[in-house]
Amino acid sequence: MEAHAMEHGHGAPKGITRWLTTTNHKDIGTMYLWFAGAMFLFAGLMAMGIRAELFQPGMQIMSPEFFNQLTTLHGLIMVFGAIMPAMAGFANWQIPLMIGAPDMAFPRMNNWSFWILPAAAILLVLSMFVPGGAVATGWTLYPPLYIQGGISYDLTIFAVHILGASSIMASLNIITTILNMRAPGMTMMKMPLFVWTWLITAFLLIAVMPVLAGAVTMLLTDRNFGTHFFDAAGGGDPVLFQHVFWFFGHPEVYILILPAFGLVSTVIPTFARKPLFGYSSMVYATASIAILSFLVWAHHMFTVGMPTAGQLYFMYATMLIAVPTGVKVFNWVATMWKGSLTFETPMLFAIGFVSMFTIGGFTGLVLAMAPIDIQMQDTYYVVAHFHYVLVSGALFAIYAGVYYWLPKWTGHMYNETLGKWHFWLSMISFNVLFFPQHFLGMAGMPRRIPDYALQFTEFNQISSIGGFMFGASQILMLIVIVQAIRGGKKAEAKVWEGAQGLEWTVASPPPYHTFETAPEVK
Amino acid sequence: MGHRRPLPVVLATLLAGLAFPALADYQLNFPPPKTGLAQQIYDLNVLVMWICVGIFIVVFGAMFYAIWKHRKSVGHKAEQFHESTTVEIIWTTIPFLILVGMAWPATKLIIEQKDTSNPDVTVKITGYQWKWEYDYLQDGVKFMSVLSTPRDQIENKAAKGANYLLEVDEPMVVPVGKKVRMLFTANDVIHAWWVPALGIKQDAIPGFIRDAWFTANEVGTYRGQCAELCGKDHGFMPIVVEVKSEADYKAWLEAKKAKAVAAAADAGKVFGKDELMARGATVYNANCASCHMPNGAGIPGAFPAITGSKIATGAKEGHIAMALNGKPGTAMPAFGPQLNDADIAAVVTYQRNGLGNSTGDLVQPADVKALRK
Ligand SMILES: [Cu+2]
């Protein structure tokens, strides 16, 4: 009875049970974002360990086994624990506000999709402390190496299953919400682009998370129940795993980046004071990227030794992705063209995104060229490439989004000076950290090695220094957020002069329940 | 590009006050290519890179122009245009045409890379955790190649040599100017054989045979590394290829064959304890110490200790069988196909009477032979 009363009241319930039992999209969004932040710091510390070991040739502070565990967990946690939950946090907070819905379609399932995440995180962290240590195969989990591992390898498989279940539930929720709960008058082609990108991402997630679950289940039975899916001696095929994994893995990288496109497409028009250029072409480009993403997986496998026709097909298909991606970049630049630009922190991160992500796109094009990829595959060039698209790509977009909506969420303006410092320090140290890694890869340094030949020393030292600077700079973000939560200049309903959309029609912070009667969209 | 040292890089280094000035080496591109394939990859990469730089300058030139001129603080008023089908078509078509232009040379190169027909020399290369085996199929020469950098250098107890981590006990040797075809497979997990100067990277996969080829156009020593994460010592399984003149190559082959004949003679011999222990220590350090550790203590949770092990202090037969056949489904490899009877006899004897064990019994090559299937 009391719980019933609370759910329909106007304020939030108090205490820990508020967070455990909440079905409110804003609370759940907040929890996703804090969870992502915590995981980001944790996996970031692991990266600091990696860069410290690589500061000099020779083994200094850890064993090769532990180094491999760090690279693996850093990757797994950043992808599944930081970037994906952060995007889910934005989806929860913003999609109902942007489409004028009172909440997500399935609020109780929403609670579950979040609350099983910490269980997966605990399994992963626990796996570091079992005999033999955590998984040390890299986040790609390739057998037969994966078959050799200890108990932590089974724990990790369970963690992946849970993470997958969480993503699928979140996606079902997002799709249903977007398709059924839009305010009257909001047609599909009037939806904010962020909503579009998440709709497409959610379909991708539902399509590929079961594929990953299948692949790791086969690993599990190979390890424990005597099957031989991936064991050549038993008639299995180790390469099969790679095909299945990348059939998941390539769409996965778009799962990480499409919502980022949505965030940037929201921020740039606001600070250009000009509508997004080529809205419908942006929607079509997003959809084409999503479809193409299912057709290019084996470009991660050019050195496996495919037949000539396979090499050629996967090269052509991959190169094709450059076309819709290029369209997006051109549209962003065209949105800024002849605008009335200002450069608050969200805009700085969005511009940082567009320029750095493009560098990652170019190196992606280089890697798509199969003959060149023969030299680049599994080197630091690849490490540099995917950090340009995931750090200065997905992460910078997340930062842009956080600064953009922080006043809306907390009701207080954040500290603009600190925000700008955060941007510039991140931008500079990011490039000091990752740009030299292109050179290292071309000169011959493989990835995932704890020690290296002497000619790689200088660039590794520069990279490590950049890494420590980048790591330290992220503390600023934490300070800015905590400050904004605790107080500061009162934010108005419409925080930014150029902001468009329904979320700016409600107060900052929004009341616990919004749009209980649907707004009218013209 | 080669070995230039651009100013910003040098400045960054000085600013950071770094050590190792004597070794300063800021290579910005692939190592100088030594095969036709490597040269073409190099050129294609340079071409693609300049195209990308060109596009970057045009697109971001426009963006920074907008940032400069179309800012609110200089009083620019926003225009409200937001669509143009013509423009969209143009910037879809032009990139597409550029891509077609890039795909053309790439296609030709892929077809050439895949053409392994009519080789002069064929070498079968097998990846093991953490070493490479080279098998010269036509000549009956076969050997293992392991990292030769001393542990002390890795653990920072001794100064590091010039070829730190890129040196092996027995390099692969090939003749210059001849088409060398390599067949790749692996024994345990997936490895990848990579020598940048030769322009080859190929995964070595258990249960599969893959091939690749090169023709080296210059005598010299070329170095590379395993490129696929293959376990704890992935970073410590380098590749060294010595390209020799035809005559030197022939002489090397003959010397190798003579050595194999001498080794075969050991098979029937009965050894004394000291001989077995000395040889056993060498075999152990080259083949077993990476997992079971040089002192036999293993790594808890991953690799069992030999010291006090039930198998290493139990019946001889079980111990020999473990060394010969390994244990399927674990990291313990089968050494039967890798080591000859005398080596296995020696290493088993060493494990039973060294590393803190003392069973007192000796294992002879004949004991091993009897247990081979
Ligand atoms: Cu290897």
Side-chain angles (χ1 to χ4, degrees):
Chain A
M1 196 55 218
E2 210 179 82
H4 186 80
M6 276 188 338
E7 263 181 45
H8 292 271
H10 287 274
K14 297 272 172 298
I16 178 84
T17 42
R18 161 178 177 185
W19 299 105
L20 282 173
T21 62
T22 183
T23 55
N24 180 293
H25 73 101
K26 302 184 186 76
D27 283 354
I28 293 173
T30 304
M31 289 195 296
Y32 264 116
L33 287 164
W34 275 113
F35 177 81
M39 289 292 118
F40 172 71
L41 292 180
F42 183 60
L45 275 181
M46 293 183 171
M48 296 299 105
I50 292 169
R51 283 316 324 166
E53 178 57 58
L54 291 177
F55 188 73
Q56 276 178 30
M59 296 305 298
Q60 279 84 26
I61 51 180
M62 59 184 76
S63 64
E65 302 90 286
F66 189 65
F67 182 90
N68 292 342
Q69 295 172 24
L70 286 188
T71 55
T72 307
L73 284 181
H74 167 77
L76 279 175
I77 296 181
M78 281 297 189
V79 168
F80 292 105
I83 303 288
M84 285 170 71
M87 294 303 184
F90 282 112
N92 265 288
W93 251 105
Q94 291 309 130
I95 289 176
L97 285 182
M98 288 174 126
I99 64 173
D103 205 307
M104 298 293 280
F106 307 117
R108 281 175 211 281
M109 187 164 84
N110 205 12
N111 173 290
W112 265 92
S113 352
F114 174 76
W115 273 112
I116 60 177
L117 278 185
I122 289 169
L123 280 181
L124 282 181
V125 175
L126 205 70
S127 77
M128 296 180 76
F129 302 99
V130 300
V135 171
T137 60
W139 82 286
T140 47
L141 315 176
Y142 282 5
L145 188 58
Y146 203 88
I147 311 293
Q148 289 181 354
I151 175 86
S152 65
Y153 288 60
D154 297 318
L155 296 180
T156 302
I157 291 174
F158 291 136
V160 170
H161 277 144
I162 297 175
L163 292 164
S166 161
S167 297
I168 290 174
M169 286 196 282
S171 303
L172 289 172
N173 220 337
I174 287 168
I175 293 174
T176 318
T177 309
I178 296 175
L179 294 184
N180 293 308
M181 296 176 65
R182 297 191 311 279
M186 180 170 286
T187 59
M188 294 295 275
M189 289 312 270
K190 274 192 196 160
M191 293 195 315
L193 203 79
F194 176 72
V195 179
W196 257 114
T197 53
W198 242 118
L199 180 66
I200 292 169
T201 304
F203 276 110
L204 283 182
L205 272 168
I206 290 184
V208 300
M209 288 320 274
V211 176
L212 176 65
V216 297
T217 307
M218 290 195 270
L219 284 179
L220 188 75
T221 61
D222 267 13
R223 286 172 48 76
N224 298 294
F225 307 119
T227 57
H228 300 289
F229 292 111
F230 308 127
D231 175 9
D237 178 352
V239 179
L240 172 67
F241 179 87
Q242 301 186 16
H243 283 292
V244 182
F245 180 87
W246 287 113
F247 188 80
F248 146 79
H250 197 76
E252 170 68 20
V253 304
Y254 291 100
I255 287 167
L256 301 171
I257 204 67
L258 291 185
F261 289 167
L263 291 168
V264 168
S265 306
T266 311
V267 170
I268 291 184
T270 300
F271 297 97
R273 291 165 182 76
K274 193 165 157 275
L276 183 66
F277 188 85
Y279 170 87
S280 45
S281 76
M282 286 300 234
V283 172
Y284 300 139
T286 311
S288 354
I289 292 176
I291 291 166
L292 281 174
S293 76
F294 286 109
L295 305 175
V296 297
W297 74 90
H299 66 214
H300 297 271
M301 300 165 60
F302 282 140
T303 62
V304 158
M306 283 182 287
T308 312
Q311 262 352 46
L312 288 175
Y313 163 73
F314 282 106
M315 175 175 81
Y316 298 149
T318 307
M319 290 173 77
L320 214 53
I321 296 188
V323 175
T325 313
V327 167
K328 293 204 157 258
V329 174
F330 301 144
N331 279 335
W332 288 320
V333 174
T335 306
M336 289 165 67
W337 189 254
K338 303 217 159 152
S340 175
L341 300 166
T342 52
F343 303 96
E344 289 84 346
T345 311
M347 184 62 164
L348 289 178
F349 272 108
I351 294 174
F353 170 98
V354 176
S355 36
M356 294 296 110
F357 173 81
T358 304
I359 294 183
F362 281 138
T363 53
L365 185 59
V366 173
L367 292 170
M369 314 274 292
I372 306 182
D373 184 69
I374 297 287
Q375 289 278 42
M376 307 288 204
Q377 157 77 14
D378 266 320
T379 69
Y380 260 87
Y381 191 92
V382 175
V383 175
H385 159 70
F386 68 72
H387 283 92
Y388 265 82
V389 292
L390 289 180
V391 177
S392 59
L395 182 69
F396 276 20
I398 289 171
Y399 283 156
V402 168
Y403 282 105
Y404 185 63
W405 284 309
L406 199 56
K408 171 60 59 189
W409 297 337
T410 62
H412 301 122
M413 292 307 290
Y414 61 86
N415 183 332
E416 191 64 59
T417 317
L418 271 189
K420 291 210 162 108
W421 271 98
H422 176 218
F423 168 75
W424 284 109
L425 285 174
S426 297
M427 181 77 176
I428 292 168
S429 57
F430 167 82
N431 281 292
V432 177
L433 163 56
F434 288 112
F435 206 76
Q437 294 186 0
H438 294 112
F439 305 134
L440 283 173
M442 285 202 277
M445 180 166 164
R447 67 194 281 202
R448 296 168 170 166
I449 58 173
D451 192 5
Y452 50 82
L454 301 182
Q455 71 261 35
F456 306 134
T457 308
E458 289 75 21
F459 279 136
N460 267 296
Q461 295 194 330
I462 295 173
S463 182
S464 287
I465 289 168
F468 302 140
M469 274 168 59
F470 186 81
S473 312
Q474 304 322 305
I475 297 169
L476 285 178
M477 173 97 237
L478 195 62
I479 297 174
V480 171
I481 293 175
V482 171
Q483 274 185 353
I485 290 173
R486 299 181 61 182
K489 199 172 132 259
K490 207 71 210 84
E492 290 156 21
K494 188 174 169 194
V495 176
W496 311 109
E497 186 190 20
Q500 302 286 338
L502 291 174
E503 77 261 43
W504 308 108
T505 61
V506 298
S508 304
Y512 200 51
H513 297 289
T514 36
F515 297 129
E516 281 166 305
T517 45
E520 195 67 51
V521 179
K522 280 166 269 38
Chain B
M1 294 230 170
H3 283 55
R4 266 192 282 132
R5 287 162 204 185
L7 187 65
V9 175
V10 174
L11 283 180
T13 318
L14 291 179
L15 268 177
L18 300 177
F20 298 103
L23 299 166
D25 190 348
Y26 297 101
Q27 183 180 316
L28 299 182
N29 204 333
F30 297 125
K34 298 295 177 185
T35 65
L37 289 179
Q39 183 67 51
Q40 291 181 61
I41 296 175
Y42 187 102
D43 295 342
L44 186 60
N45 181 53
V46 169
L47 172 75
V48 175
M49 220 190 56
W50 284 119
I51 293 177
C52 291
V53 170
I55 301 174
F56 192 88
I57 291 175
V58 172
V59 175
F60 289 89
M63 188 177 91
F64 283 104
Y65 181 84
I67 289 179
W68 200 243
K69 292 283 185 186
H70 306 157
R71 47 166 76 213
K72 196 181 173 195
S73 56
V74 297
H76 195 272
K77 292 271 174 306
E79 297 185 11
Q80 291 302 312
F81 66 86
H82 58 88
E83 232 159 18
S84 163
T85 313
T86 328
V87 170
E88 299 281 355
I89 290 175
I90 291 174
W91 66 37
T92 310
T93 320
I94 293 182
F96 184 79
L97 294 177
I98 296 178
L99 289 177
V100 172
M102 282 161 47
W104 178 249
T107 303
K108 286 202 294 197
L109 184 46
I110 289 180
I111 291 169
E112 194 174 333
Q113 279 175 328
K114 286 285 174 186
D115 177 17
T116 51
S117 58
N118 301 321
D120 300 310
V121 180
T122 300
V123 187
K124 178 168 167 244
I125 302 180
T126 309
Y128 291 84
Q129 275 175 321
W130 299 291
K131 58 203 166 195
W132 295 98
E133 181 189 71
Y134 298 96
D135 187 351
Y136 289 67
L137 296 170
Q138 297 142 326
D139 304 287
V141 167
K142 180 166 147 180
F143 56 90
M144 285 286 178
S145 176
V146 273
L147 176 74
S148 62
T149 301
R151 272 231 85 76
D152 279 357
Q153 291 190 14
I154 297 171
E155 286 163 4
N156 308 308
K157 290 176 195 145
K160 295 179 175 34
N163 292 315
Y164 176 70
L165 294 191
L166 294 180
E167 48 199 348
V168 296
D169 57 350
E170 297 252 24
M172 173 184 178
V173 177
V174 295
V176 70
K178 290 271 158 54
K179 182 164 183 177
V180 181
R181 176 186 187 219
M182 296 163 295
L183 303 174
F184 294 96
T185 187
N187 187 54
D188 33 47
V189 302
I190 301 172
H191 303 267
W193 196 89
W194 179 35
V195 180
L198 303 180
I200 305 282
K201 184 186 292 121
Q202 173 60 53
D203 291 1
I205 306 166
F208 286 78
I209 303 262
R210 301 292 199 221
D211 62 357
W213 71 277
F214 68 87
T215 301
N217 50 26
E218 209 177 290
V219 168
T221 304
Y222 308 116
R223 297 167 199 276
Q225 280 178 271
C226 176
E228 179 69 56
L229 178 56
C230 56
K232 113 181 159 38
D233 282 352
H234 163 56
F236 306 91
M237 53 181 292
I239 295 151
V240 179
V241 178
E242 271 181 20
V243 176
K244 289 191 196 275
S245 69
E246 181 73 20
D248 289 352
Y249 170 69
K250 284 267 149 58
W252 172 83
L253 262 186
E254 290 314 315
K256 273 285 173 202
K257 283 184 194 161
K259 232 172 146 184
V261 172
D266 288 348
K269 255 169 90 175
V270 172
F271 291 92
K273 179 165 180 181
D274 292 344
E275 262 178 308
L276 283 172
M277 289 295 281
R279 183 165 177 173
T282 318
V283 178
Y284 182 84
N285 286 324
N287 294 285
C288 323
S290 53
C291 294
H292 296 293
M293 300 325 264
N295 62 2
I299 297 176
F303 307 114
I306 297 300
T307 315
S309 139
K310 281 215 182 64
I311 292 175
T313 56
K316 269 205 285 209
E317 288 71 25
H319 192 175
I320 298 172
M322 176 64 91
L324 274 177
N325 309 323
K327 185 152 176 192
T330 73
M332 175 62 201
F335 286 94
Q338 301 181 39
L339 300 175
N340 62 34
D341 292 351
D343 283 339
I344 294 200
V347 75
V348 172
T349 306
Y350 176 72
Q351 289 192 337
R352 301 176 72 77
N353 296 291
L355 304 169
N357 296 334
S358 51
T359 56
D361 49 7
L362 300 187
V363 176
Q364 294 295 348
D367 300 328
V368 178
K369 189 160 187 220
L371 285 172
R372 271 195 198 266
K373 292 199 193 94

